[in-house]
């Protein structure tokens, strides 16, 4: 749509308000709303002002004025507002220089796509993330100087198999056995379907939905692949729709990677491929039916994987999922079909158009624009420097001897380790000014001071079980 089309579209849909959305540095949507009478074609060039110092990781208070510039191509009617509301995703610019703001995640995604084209390697990077999430019935948490706790509940939670529910009807998925049971064990089919229907109504194609492995309402909805920027936009709508539909049913959703001890965590496997002039570049005669370009792309991701962890696994909770010896894809290797490897080559279809890789270590707590951009930049670095990924890992990881296992590198074991890796390995992200030094430094500083250090200073409940009588 053009700005003129958006104004016309708002009238055709009797919009009363216009909601302007943008993503903060960490990855949470922010918004403010204007009456439709303020929707003029000029705002798509001139923008609207807001206080950038109140957004996490952004401007200091003495330089707080920023502008949102709505992207007319993102215009849709919001499905949740009581009054008819037009929604627009916005970019952020500096009001003085009129340049895109370097810490705006969406602008970074735009620069990543531009850099891809400038290399001549490809013109389109397609991404197809698979975000997993939990649908809970209750969540309570708090921490003060003298106490700290969290309490999760779900009607599906296996821990409720003995609870008085007047009556308790059973059918609660066993731990690690929640994959694909039909109703009544899968009690959330209709909720997930409603989520899918709203996505489809907004132009987001859904490929499938299902219950996931964990007890207590773990779920997955897969949406069809799209180009990097568009998928970044769709991932934000994806999370927004899922949270709001759950809320309408008096339930709550979390994309935390590891909210439950003793059961599977939530990942966000990222399928991806490069195309040029409408032709796929990842199909070839190499291992798994892949091309040399695809193998070099894999090599770049594996080389920079620990630095990527800081962006693709950006929370302290992420590393409760990425624990060696379990099912999490911590092994920095690639394979066809082997889900214990951090990069898998799906073997479902022989079609060249279906040839892609699946990067398995990211999780759904990440900022999609940043994660997709960082993975792309690592892959391109692999192609440019012809980084071969070595031999594939086709063995059962659990059957490897200690000597063999010691030769397979792993993902980072903590957010602190990942941030150190990013500090030492980020030149590949600076190419084309996609990520700037300021962005890298601010990300490391914010995560260290706002998450790593606060977590390090707080005792956890299990520490009392371990150490109180010492």
């Amino acid at each position: 749509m053009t700005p003129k089309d958006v104004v016309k579209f708002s009238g055709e849909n009797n919009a009363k308000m216009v909601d302007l959305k943008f993503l903060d540095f960490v990855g949470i949507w922010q918004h403010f709303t204007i009456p439709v009478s303020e929707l003029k074609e000029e705002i798509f060039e001139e923008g609207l002002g807001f206080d950038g110092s109140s957004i996490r990781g952004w401007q200091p208070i003495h330089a707080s004025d920023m502008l949102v510039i709505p992207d007319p191509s993102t215009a849709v009617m919001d499905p949740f507002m009581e009054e008819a509301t037009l929604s627009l995703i916005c970019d952020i610019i500096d009001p003085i220089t009129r340049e895109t703001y370097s810490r705006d995640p969406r602008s970074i995604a735009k620069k990543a796509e531009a850099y891809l084209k400038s290399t001549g390697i490809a013109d389109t990077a397609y991404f197809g993330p698979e975000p997993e999430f939990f649908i809970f019935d209750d969540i309570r948490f708090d921490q003060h100087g003298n106490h700290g706790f969290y309490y999760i509940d779900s009607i599906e939670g296996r821990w409720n198999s003995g609870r008085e529910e007047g009556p308790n009807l059973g059918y609660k998925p066993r731990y690690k056995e929640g994959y694909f049971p039909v109703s009544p064990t899968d009690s959330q089919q209709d909720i997930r379907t409603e989520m899918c229907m709203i996505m489809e109504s907004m132009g987001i194609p859904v490929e499938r939905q299902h219950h996931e492995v964990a007890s207590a309402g773990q779920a997955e909805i897969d949406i069809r692949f799209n180009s990097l920027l568009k998928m970044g936009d769709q991932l934000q709508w994806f999370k927004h729709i899922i949270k709001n539909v759950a809320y309408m049913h008096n339930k709550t959703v979390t994309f935390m990677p590891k909210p439950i001890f003793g059961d599977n965590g939530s990942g966000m496997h990222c399928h991806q491929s490069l195309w040029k002039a409408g032709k796929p570049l990842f199909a070839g005669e190499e291992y798994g039916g892949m091309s040399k370009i695809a193998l070099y792309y894999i090599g770049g991701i594996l080389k920079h994987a620990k630095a990527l962890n800081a962006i693709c696994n950006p929370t302290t909770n992420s590393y409760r999922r990425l624990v060696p010896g379990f099912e999490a894809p911590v092994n920095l290797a690639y394979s066809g079909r082997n889900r214990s490897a951090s990069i898998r080559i799906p073997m479902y279809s022989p079609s060249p158009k279906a040839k892609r890789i699946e990067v398995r270590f990211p999780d759904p707590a990440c900022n999609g624009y940043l994660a997709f951009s960082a993975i792309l930049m690592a892959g391109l670095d692999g192609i440019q420097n012809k980084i071969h990924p070595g031999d594939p890992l086709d063995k059962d990881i659990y059957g490897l001897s200690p000597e063999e296992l010691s030769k397979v590198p792993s993902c980072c074991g903590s957010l602190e380790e990942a941030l150190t890796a990013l500090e030492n390995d980020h030149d590949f992200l600076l190419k084309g000014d996609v990520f700037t030094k300021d962005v890298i430094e601010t990300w490391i500083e914010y995560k260290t001071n706002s998450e790593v250090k606060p977590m390090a200073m707080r005792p956890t409940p299990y520490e009392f079980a371990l150490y109180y009588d010492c």
Side-chain angles (χ1 to χ4, degrees), residues 401-466:
S401 67
E403 182 181 356
E404 289 176 302
L405 191 59
S406 68
K407 297 176 182 178
V408 181
S410 295
C411 289
C412 292
S414 69
L415 180 56
E416 185 174 17
E417 181 187 346
L419 293 171
T420 299
L422 179 61
E423 187 174 21
N424 295 329
D425 176 26
H426 60 257
D427 286 349
F428 70 99
L429 296 172
L430 303 180
K431 294 178 181 179
D433 202 37
V434 175
F435 289 78
T436 64
K437 279 190 173 294
D438 171 69
V439 166
I440 301 298
E441 290 170 358
T442 303
W443 184 261
I444 293 171
E445 180 183 11
Y446 178 87
K447 287 288 175 178
T448 299
N449 293 331
S450 298
E451 299 177 31
V452 173
K453 289 183 178 179
M455 278 294 295
M457 293 187 294
R458 285 164 168 79
T460 66
Y462 196 60
E463 286 178 303
F464 284 85
L466 289 174

Side-chain angles (χ1 to χ4, degrees), residues 33 52 63 77-78 90 166 174 179-180 187 195 197 231 250 276 291 310 325 338 393 397-398 420-421:
T33 310
M77 295 303 295
D78 192 294
C90 301
R174 299 178 186 89
Y179 196 64
F180 282 19
S187 68
M195 294 168 178
M197 296 298 289
M231 182 51 69
N250 203 32
K276 187 174 184 179
S291 65
N338 189 343
L393 180 67
I397 191 70
Y398 305 111
T420 299

Side-chain angles (χ1 to χ4, degrees), residues 66-85:
M66 303 294 290
L67 292 174
V68 295
I69 302 291
D71 183 340
S73 70
T74 66
V76 291
M77 295 303 295
D78 192 294
F80 299 110
M81 301 299 178
E82 184 173 343
E83 295 290 346
T85 300

Side-chain angles (χ1 to χ4, degrees), residues 51-95:
D51 175 11
S53 69
S54 295
I55 305 301
R56 295 183 296 177
W58 278 12
Q59 291 294 92
I61 196 165
H62 64 272
S64 59
D65 287 354
M66 303 294 290
L67 292 174
V68 295
I69 302 291
D71 183 340
S73 70
T74 66
V76 291
M77 295 303 295
D78 192 294
F80 299 110
M81 301 299 178
E82 184 173 343
E83 295 290 346
T85 300
L86 174 72
S87 179
L88 291 161
I89 300 176
C90 301
D91 298 313
I92 310 301
I93 69 168
D94 186 292

Side-chain angles (χ1 to χ4, degrees), residues 295-335:
L295 289 184
Y296 292 148
Y297 189 92
I298 290 171
I301 294 172
L302 292 177
K303 177 182 178 181
H304 300 296
K306 288 180 180 289
L308 291 176
N309 284 153
I311 297 171
C312 298
N313 309 97
T315 70
T316 58
N317 184 255
S318 298
Y319 301 88
R320 308 287 190 255
R321 167 182 172 256
L322 293 180
V323 177
F326 296 90
E327 294 182 19
V330 300
N331 304 293
L332 296 179
Y334 72 104
S335 175

Side-chain angles (χ1 to χ4, degrees), residues 168-365:
N168 188 323
L169 300 178
Y171 298 115
K172 303 180 191 301
R174 299 178 186 89
Y175 297 113
K176 298 182 179 295
E177 293 186 25
Y179 196 64
F180 282 19
V182 297
S183 59
T185 302
D186 177 3
S187 68
Q188 298 175 347
Q189 169 74 14
D190 290 340
I191 293 176
R192 296 195 306 270
T193 294
E194 186 176 342
M195 294 168 178
C196 293
M197 296 298 289
I198 292 177
M199 290 182 201
E200 290 268 340
S201 73
M202 298 182 68
I204 301 175
V206 174
E207 293 186 334
R208 68 178 67 187
Q209 60 97 336
H210 58 85
H211 203 289
E212 257 298 340
V213 173
S215 181
Q218 191 182 33
E220 178 176 315
I221 297 175
D222 298 336
I223 56 178
R224 189 174 302 162
F225 68 89
N226 211 327
S227 58
L228 190 158
L229 179 67
K230 290 180 179 178
M231 182 51 69
D233 291 343
Q234 288 185 352
L235 182 58
Q236 289 308 119
W237 271 116
F238 179 95
K239 289 185 174 183
H240 189 68
I241 290 167
I242 286 172
K243 290 177 181 178
N244 278 278
V245 171
Y247 191 78
M248 287 160 51
H249 287 268
N250 203 32
K251 295 181 182 288
T252 179
V253 159
T254 183
F255 288 91
M256 279 179 66
K258 188 68 173 179
I260 296 178
F261 166 69
D263 214 334
N264 284 42
S266 294
M268 189 178 78
H269 308 147
C270 290
H271 295 255
Q272 55 204 270
S273 62
L274 298 182
W275 289 57
K276 187 174 184 179
K279 295 182 179 179
L281 299 183
F282 276 10
E285 303 300 321
E286 303 295 320
Y287 172 84
M290 304 299 279
S291 65
K292 286 187 181 294
I293 282 180
L295 289 184
Y296 292 148
Y297 189 92
I298 290 171
I301 294 172
L302 292 177
K303 177 182 178 181
H304 300 296
K306 288 180 180 289
L308 291 176
N309 284 153
I311 297 171
C312 298
N313 309 97
T315 70
T316 58
N317 184 255
S318 298
Y319 301 88
R320 308 287 190 255
R321 167 182 172 256
L322 293 180
V323 177
F326 296 90
E327 294 182 19
V330 300
N331 304 293
L332 296 179
Y334 72 104
S335 175
R337 304 177 70 179
N338 189 343
R339 283 174 163 80
S340 67
S342 60
I343 298 180
R344 186 175 73 94
I345 300 170
M347 307 297 284
Y348 297 126
S349 171
S351 169
K353 292 182 177 181
K355 281 299 174 185
R356 62 194 188 276
I357 68 167
E358 178 191 30
V359 181
R360 293 177 60 79
F361 57 79
D363 66 55

